[in-house]
Amino acid sequence: MYGFINTCLKFLVVEKYGEETWEKLRIQAGVQDTFLTFEVYKDEITMQLIDKACKMLDVPPDMVLKQFGEFFFEFCKRSGYDHMLRTLGGNLYEFIENLDALHSYLSLSYQEMNAPSFRVEKNEDGSMHLHYYSDRRGLCHIVPGIIGAAALDFFNTEISMEIVNQTEEEERTGKKEHIVFLVTQKPVFSYKKRNKFSSSPQYIADSGRQIEKQLNKEDIEKNLNKIRDRTSLVSICPAKKNHWETIRGIVTLGRGKLLRGFDPAYPTTLWIDTKTFCNGLPFHIVFDEELRVKQSGVSIQKIVPGLQTMGIRLDHYFSIVHPEVTFTISSVQKFINSQFVFRTRREMMPESWKQRPMLELRGQMIWMESLQCMLYLCSPLLRTLHELEERQMHIADIAPHDVTRDLILLNQQRLAEMELSNQLERKKEELRILSKHLEEEKKKTEALLYAMLPKHVANQLKEGKRVEAGEFKECTILFSDVVTFTNICAQCEPIQIVLMLNSMYLRFDRLTTVHDVYKVETIGDAYMVVGGVPVPVSTHAERVANFALGIIIAAKEVKNPVSGNPIQIRVGIHTGPVLAGVVGEKMPRYCLFGDTVNIASRMESHGIPSKIHLSPTTYYCLKDKNFEMTERGEIEVKGKGKMYTYFLIRNRTATENEIMGNPIKESDSDHGSVQSFHESRIKMIQSSCQQAMQLSSDQYQPPTIAMKYIDGLTETQASYKGRSQERFMDLTGKTHDFESYGCLHGDQQPGSDPYLPNQERIKSAPEEPQNRNVRSNFCNLI
């Protein structure tokens, strides 16, 4: 089938059920999203779409096909075939009778179209028998949808169609599905008026009288039909009266004779000689019941020289292409209202002509009862001038009155336009695919960019804007490093160090997503994160504390390449104000400045292996937050003098799975089983860790479940606000304002951006020797 059919099916699903349903349907069917109008696709694609649609929508196939038929009629009208369909006939009978002619015309453009065939018969009671022939089985239920929609739209008639016979047609060459429908008609009011008034009381009250009047009209019409000439072959269905028949019945023409019906006048003698007839109709053949040729036109004799011998059998020189019936007089008479396409037989052509393409003729059959012969009036079936040249024919070979001359020229132009349209459609599809790929690559690029810089900072840089430094009045910073990292580096190959750090950092990076903290950067074995920057949150200390507990557990899953034992890390945390901004233009980095960075680094360097070292300010932020902490006591801190510090032990309420972002199990509610679960987890992943050490990148990516936090200013923070301020003054010698945030997620003012902190000039920050970026801090420590 052509892509036009599949496109129609796509639009039906999208309009009736939504874009998401179509996406699911095409994925299940395994087909592409877009179909080119003039491209030929396998029938299996359409069948697969219909089959999956029935299963997905839980609708019987006959209902889906009928709905598709109704939509297909509307889709054809939208696509520019409205006037072509309306002019096929003045009533439903004529409309159906000329469908094959329409398909024959469309085949000039859609050369590979394999359309169904229709044959209609009238019954005495006004009903019709519609014969449907198709190579495709199982699609017959489309016909009631198409014919019903056309009858209602064009002829204001409702119809009912039921299958009365379904067989394999024996008279047609090959296996063809032959379905016979019984079509009954019922005239209705205007479709719009019917919808508007069908529910009104007046319509219901008048419906009985309207039906009674209609029945009376039908009785009168039947009686008039009996009085009229019974030999007339053209009759109108009583249910639908043709406009011109009404005019003929009431208008006086000629010299006052009242015409009740059309009675043609024939001459007593045929005023045309045989030679003129054969020259005037150069493409015609007369043959008898035994298919013996009695007469033929001059042009067809020129193309098929064998026809110059009278009495030869027609089926020896021609085969029937359409309709696909056996070449017998009875089959021809049965389909006499259809267009017949003949094709010359190659074996009967002269030897020098056998390399040419065979000529096809298209025309109509007329049975001459008095002579018991059949007249085939035809014309060459040629689509382009190229086909005309291939058969060594010329326009002059076609009679001037034959519209085939104009059709060839017009179709040549139409095919050129179709080719141009097809090229444009292909380019459009290529651009759509390129645009889709470009969008995917753009998302990958943005994801990489957002992994290096905060999203709002990256967006400002993309727009060419200058990123101003911003002050964050309270945040929590964490540093960690690997114990005896220098010794490990001295005893291992560089690739082993890279694999070890990659294995560890992948786990740490995953935990930043679990607790929504920002990874500032890594230098060697040192890892730095911050909570409350670049998005201020009131739970920054809790997030970083849980993150610290998580990386202590995660570090045990990474093996020391020298000893094979789990590595140990030191962790230090401090809370305080910072200034954050982008430094440099080439490879810009989002850096933190302020004494808070220095103190957090000192907490890590003065820490103990596998312990989380807390500063006093962090301790007061976590004191009433369900964390278990112990005092370390007073220690000497380089550059800061004596400080009273603490160790973070555990979270009293959160389970290990919650901290690690793993799926929560029922056993997690029992805190006594956490240790045993951890031991079994270590054993389970030992093998995967060993394999990861042999890879260039660690593939360990367990499912990530973000831990839930409730942000907002709490009473505990407010009560410790003054105490924290005083303690911080003792440590630094300066007083810092620890006011609550002005742009928290829960309390931000309308129109404020939660990604943008209070903007202040850099010169307002404390200008101390300690104010240097992270890399300088690490250089001093090393």
Side-chain angles (χ1 to χ4, degrees):
M1 296 186 185
Y2 276 87
F4 183 83
I5 304 296
N6 295 330
T7 302
C8 174
L9 184 57
K10 173 186 175 180
F11 274 79
L12 169 63
V13 175
V14 171
E15 290 189 13
K16 299 291 183 180
Y17 304 101
E19 188 74 37
E20 295 180 357
T21 304
W22 164 251
E23 190 66 20
K24 294 178 182 178
L25 175 60
R26 79 165 188 87
I27 291 176
Q28 289 187 12
V31 301
Q32 64 267 41
D33 181 58
T34 305
F35 301 94
L36 301 179
T37 302
F38 302 106
E39 188 77 16
V40 180
Y41 297 89
K42 294 182 178 179
D43 290 352
E44 288 77 9
I45 294 178
T46 308
M47 300 299 185
Q48 187 76 358
L49 285 171
I50 294 174
D51 180 63
K52 296 298 181 182
C54 295
K55 294 179 180 178
M56 179 181 295
L57 303 175
D58 194 20
V59 179
D62 56 337
M63 296 298 296
V64 172
L65 292 173
K66 183 177 180 181
Q67 190 174 22
F68 174 66
E70 295 172 351
F71 188 83
F72 180 73
F73 173 75
E74 294 296 329
F75 189 74
C76 291
K77 290 173 58 181
R78 296 184 203 172
S79 303
Y81 295 98
D82 185 21
H83 294 292
M84 187 180 297
L85 292 171
R86 288 183 183 275
T87 54
L88 283 182
N91 52 54
L92 185 60
Y93 176 84
E94 296 173 354
F95 177 86
I96 299 174
E97 194 176 41
N98 285 279
L99 284 178
D100 278 11
L102 174 63
H103 290 155
S104 178
Y105 166 75
L106 293 177
S107 66
L108 297 175
S109 302
Y110 300 89
Q111 299 183 15
E112 298 185 41
M113 183 175 67
N114 183 14
S117 180
F118 297 91
R119 181 168 62 89
V120 62
E121 300 172 345
K122 284 186 177 182
N123 301 322
E124 293 183 357
D125 59 355
S127 62
M128 295 180 291
H129 279 112
L130 172 60
H131 296 259
Y132 165 78
Y133 303 89
S134 176
D135 288 330
R136 305 178 179 93
R137 291 173 177 80
L139 299 181
C140 61
H141 295 286
I142 294 179
V143 178
I146 297 177
I147 302 299
L152 191 60
D153 191 345
F154 293 162
F155 312 113
N156 197 27
T157 302
E158 284 186 348
I159 66 170
S160 63
M161 296 181 63
E162 58 177 314
I163 297 177
V164 296
N165 192 14
Q166 184 171 357
T167 60
E168 291 291 337
E169 180 60 38
E170 298 178 355
E171 296 184 6
R172 299 171 68 87
T173 57
K175 292 185 178 180
K176 300 287 182 176
E177 185 178 52
H178 178 196
I179 309 294
V180 181
F181 293 94
L182 176 62
V183 183
T184 57
Q185 304 180 66
K186 179 182 178 182
V188 295
F189 296 113
S190 172
Y191 186 51
K192 295 181 179 179
K193 292 181 179 180
R194 184 190 57 175
N195 287 339
K196 182 177 180 181
F197 300 112
S198 60
S199 59
S200 64
Q202 184 63 34
Y203 173 84
I204 297 174
D206 295 342
S207 60
R209 292 193 295 272
Q210 294 287 347
I211 294 173
E212 183 179 355
K213 291 180 180 179
Q214 183 65 34
L215 291 175
N216 292 335
K217 290 181 179 179
E218 291 181 0
D219 292 338
I220 296 172
E221 187 67 25
K222 288 181 180 179
N223 293 329
L224 288 175
N225 287 337
K226 292 179 181 179
I227 298 174
R228 292 173 185 170
D229 187 1
R230 297 180 181 272
T231 61
S232 177
L233 297 178
V234 181
S235 61
I236 301 301
C237 179
K240 178 67 179 178
K241 192 172 183 181
N242 185 276
H243 173 72
W244 284 108
E245 288 182 345
T246 304
I247 298 298
R248 292 190 187 102
I250 60 176
V251 176
T252 302
L253 299 177
R255 298 183 176 180
K257 181 180 179 181
L258 184 63
L259 296 180
R260 302 301 299 177
F262 175 68
D263 188 10
Y266 298 103
T268 56
T269 304
L270 186 62
W271 291 91
I272 183 171
D273 61 273
T274 305
K275 185 177 180 180
T276 303
F277 187 86
C278 292
N279 286 321
L281 297 176
F283 289 94
H284 81 275
I285 303 174
V286 178
F287 56 95
D288 60 13
E289 293 179 330
E290 297 179 356
L291 304 181
R292 296 193 179 277
V293 176
K294 300 296 185 181
Q295 177 180 316
S296 60
V298 294
S299 293
I300 201 170
Q301 294 179 25
K302 179 180 177 182
I303 298 171
V304 185
L307 295 181
Q308 292 178 322
T309 303
M310 298 302 169
I312 56 98
R313 287 183 61 89
L314 186 64
D315 56 343
H316 289 174
Y317 288 86
F318 292 95
S319 61
I320 299 180
V321 177
H322 178 82
E324 297 181 9
V325 297
T326 55
F327 209 148
T328 62
I329 195 67
S330 59
S331 297
V332 173
Q333 288 177 331
K334 189 173 183 179
F335 291 86
I336 196 170
N337 290 328
S338 300
Q339 283 193 340
F340 277 78
V341 177
F342 283 5
R343 180 185 294 158
T344 56
R345 294 185 180 274
R346 189 178 301 273
E347 63 272 15
M348 301 302 294
M349 295 294 104
E351 192 66 29
S352 59
W353 293 9
K354 288 185 178 180
Q355 301 303 320
R356 301 179 188 175
M358 293 297 98
L359 178 66
E360 292 184 352
L361 303 173
R362 181 181 63 184
Q364 72 173 117
M365 295 288 182
I366 301 176
W367 176 248
M368 298 180 290
E369 184 68 27
S370 60
L371 301 176
Q372 291 294 298
C373 290
M374 188 73 72
L375 171 63
Y376 180 45
L377 290 175
C378 57
S379 298
L381 182 55
L382 299 171
R383 299 176 178 86
T384 62
L385 295 175
H386 178 68
E387 292 183 359
L388 190 72
E389 293 175 346
E390 284 182 333
R391 290 156 180 82
Q392 296 186 7
M393 294 179 60
H394 303 86
I395 293 292
D397 294 329
I398 305 173
H401 63 80
D402 194 341
V403 295
T404 304
R405 299 162 63 107
D406 299 328
L407 187 61
I408 294 174
L409 298 174
L410 291 174
N411 198 55
Q412 178 75 24
Q413 180 182 358
R414 173 173 170 77
L415 289 176
E417 293 174 353
M418 286 179 58
E419 180 62 25
L420 179 60
S421 176
N422 195 19
Q423 292 179 6
L424 292 175
E425 195 172 9
R426 290 180 182 277
K427 293 296 182 183
K428 178 182 176 181
E429 179 63 13
E430 291 175 4
L431 290 175
R432 187 190 70 82
I433 295 175
L434 289 175
S435 177
K436 183 179 179 180
H437 290 167
L438 180 62
E439 189 66 24
E440 293 175 354
E441 294 300 322
K442 180 182 177 183
K443 290 180 180 179
K444 293 178 182 179
T445 304
E446 290 180 345
L448 181 61
L449 181 61
Y450 295 153
M452 300 173 62
L453 292 170
K455 187 174 182 178
H456 75 283
V457 173
N459 291 337
Q460 291 184 44
L461 291 177
K462 285 195 303 181
E463 295 172 2
K465 298 180 181 178
R466 181 181 176 184
V467 181
E468 299 288 343
E471 180 183 357
F472 294 83
K473 297 186 177 181
E474 191 177 67
C475 67
T476 300
I477 299 176
L478 176 146
F479 280 93
S480 72
D481 72 346
V482 178
V483 179
T484 67
F485 181 70
T486 304
N487 296 336
I488 296 174
C489 291
Q491 302 177 47
C492 294
E493 294 294 329
I495 187 60
Q496 293 178 292
I497 301 300
V498 172
L499 292 175
M500 181 192 73
L501 292 178
N502 189 49
S503 177
M504 181 178 69
Y505 287 160
L506 282 177
R507 289 167 168 80
F508 289 6
D509 291 346
R510 177 178 170 275
L511 290 171
T512 61
T513 303
V514 173
H515 301 287
D516 195 17
V517 293
Y518 180 68
K519 175 185 175 182
V520 181
E521 63 179 332
T522 59
I523 301 179
D525 65 321
Y527 196 92
M528 177 184 178
V529 300
V530 60
V533 176
V535 181
V537 290
S538 61
T539 57
H540 54 86
E542 301 168 55
R543 295 172 185 268
V544 175
N546 285 324
F547 173 80
L549 294 171
I551 63 174
I552 292 292
I553 298 173
K556 297 178 182 178
E557 301 172 356
V558 182
K559 299 295 183 180
N560 185 328
V562 178
S563 63
N565 298 323
I567 63 172
Q568 290 182 308
I569 62 173
R570 283 188 297 263
V571 180
I573 305 176
H574 177 62
T575 302
V578 295
L579 195 71
V582 177
V583 178
E585 293 182 354
K586 188 175 182 180
M587 295 183 66
R589 298 295 299 174
Y590 189 70
C591 297
L592 306 182
F593 302 89
D595 196 49
T596 300
V597 179
N598 298 330
I599 297 174
S601 178
R602 297 295 186 268
M603 290 296 101
E604 176 269 318
S605 60
H606 290 72
I608 298 175
S610 299
K611 294 287 186 180
I612 302 172
H613 197 197
L614 304 180
S615 71
T617 52
T618 305
Y619 169 78
Y620 283 116
C621 287
L622 299 176
K623 187 174 182 180
D624 294 335
K625 298 296 182 181
N626 296 316
F627 287 95
E628 181 180 338
M629 296 173 286
T630 61
E631 297 181 1
R632 181 182 184 185
E634 194 174 62
I635 63 172
E636 184 72 25
V637 178
K638 181 182 177 181
K640 296 300 176 183
K642 296 184 181 294
M643 291 182 62
Y644 202 85
T645 59
Y646 304 84
F647 287 126
L648 175 62
I649 307 300
R650 68 187 180 91
N651 188 321
R652 294 191 183 95
T653 58
T655 64
E656 180 182 327
N657 276 336
E658 291 176 329
I659 292 174
M660 298 301 294
N662 297 329
I664 300 176
K665 299 181 179 180
E666 295 180 0
S667 59
D668 293 341
S669 60
D670 185 3
H671 294 284
S673 63
V674 172
Q675 184 64 26
S676 61
F677 174 80
H678 174 65
E679 293 175 354
S680 62
R681 174 181 162 85
I682 292 295
K683 294 178 181 179
M684 180 178 65
I685 64 173
Q686 279 180 348
S687 58
S688 61
C689 289
Q690 292 173 356
Q691 295 175 358
M693 296 298 294
Q694 300 174 1
L695 300 174
S696 60
S697 62
D698 196 335
Q699 301 298 324
Y700 176 74
Q701 291 292 336
T704 301
I705 299 179
M707 193 169 179
K708 296 181 180 179
Y709 293 91
I710 302 177
D711 291 308
L713 187 61
T714 63
E715 295 180 1
T716 304
Q717 282 182 312
S719 63
Y720 282 101
K721 174 182 173 183
R723 210 178 314 176
S724 299
Q725 186 175 5
E726 182 180 357
R727 177 67 65 180
F728 192 72
M729 181 180 63
D730 293 339
L731 292 172
T732 63
K734 289 182 177 290
T735 302
H736 294 272
D737 185 10
F738 273 73
E739 295 179 358
S740 60
Y741 310 116
C743 55
L744 294 178
H745 289 301
D747 303 320
Q748 60 182 341
Q749 298 299 324
S752 63
D753 189 344
Y755 288 95
L756 299 178
N758 297 328
Q759 300 291 330
E760 297 184 11
R761 296 183 179 274
I762 298 180
K763 66 180 183 180
S764 64
E767 297 181 358
E768 298 184 5
Q770 293 86 354
N771 286 358
R772 47 189 175 266
N773 62 25
V774 179
R775 296 183 183 273
S776 300
N777 290 332
F778 272 94
C779 291
N780 292 336
L781 290 173
I782 294 174

